[in-house]
Amino acid sequence: MLRVALLSAAASSSLAFLLPSSSLAPSLRSSSLSSTPAVCSQPALASSRPRRSAAALRMAVIDINSEQELDQAIEAAGENTLVIIDYSTTWCGPCKVIAPKYDEMSDKYKDAIFLKCVGDTSPEATKLMKREGIRSVPAFHFWKKGAKIEVIAGANVEALENTIKENL
């Protein structure tokens, strides 16, 4: 896990996303996410998220690393299953903040398939993000009946959950 020595309160609040919440002072922990979407434009940091394969438990978020994997997942979902894909990068602060909420939603909404593509982990993942027109992260695309039906840009938990509820 990445650890950063913080020198001031200002640095603490701007770098808090780099530390696990258990290592933050109570005043720096955030109990909820802002309803204002946050979008990243920072340089790369290493990812600490473990990779889960399609063979993992059904309710887990499944990592997708290529155009072919996404196409197969959408096709395998069938006609009436909602597929949500979270596009992120390893260096994105808002992506790291929303990731646990996205994981929780995968447990809560069992009738949907939750996928994740981390765009800077491989050339194939980068190619997928280019094909899908991802210009900022995090971004969430919703698929049903083989077609993209909705797009959300930014780390807006409320919009994400409402869109899932509307399309299940």
Side-chain angles (χ1 to χ4, degrees), residues 30-141:
S30 145
S31 61
S32 65
L33 296 175
S34 168
S35 62
T36 305
V39 178
C40 289
S41 61
Q42 299 294 322
L45 290 176
S47 173
S48 61
R49 186 173 186 276
R51 177 171 161 75
R52 295 183 192 164
S53 69
L57 292 174
R58 164 68 179 85
M59 297 324 136
V61 176
I62 301 166
D63 286 332
I64 297 293
N65 291 302
S66 69
E67 295 172 346
Q68 181 181 6
E69 288 179 357
L70 176 61
D71 295 341
Q72 289 173 346
I74 292 168
E75 185 178 326
E79 287 292 310
N80 296 316
T81 303
L82 179 64
V83 177
I84 307 119
I85 183 162
D86 171 11
Y87 294 99
S88 65
T89 59
T90 57
W91 50 263
C92 170
C95 298
K96 292 177 187 207
V97 172
I98 201 166
K101 298 289 185 186
Y102 186 72
D103 289 342
E104 288 172 17
M105 287 181 207
S106 75
D107 289 331
K108 184 175 180 180
Y109 299 103
K110 297 177 190 310
D111 292 334
I113 296 173
F114 289 76
L115 309 174
K116 184 172 190 89
C117 176
V118 182
D120 57 356
T121 57
S122 72
E124 295 81 16
T126 301
K127 186 176 176 184
L128 169 60
M129 288 180 72
K130 285 181 182 177
R131 181 187 90 176
E132 294 301 319
I134 305 302
R135 303 184 121 230
S136 63
V137 291
F140 302 88
H141 289 190

Side-chain angles (χ1 to χ4, degrees), residues 5-24:
L6 302 176
L7 302 175
S8 70
S12 296
S13 62
S14 66
L15 297 175
F17 69 89
L18 295 175
L19 298 170
S21 66
S22 62
S23 67
L24 295 176

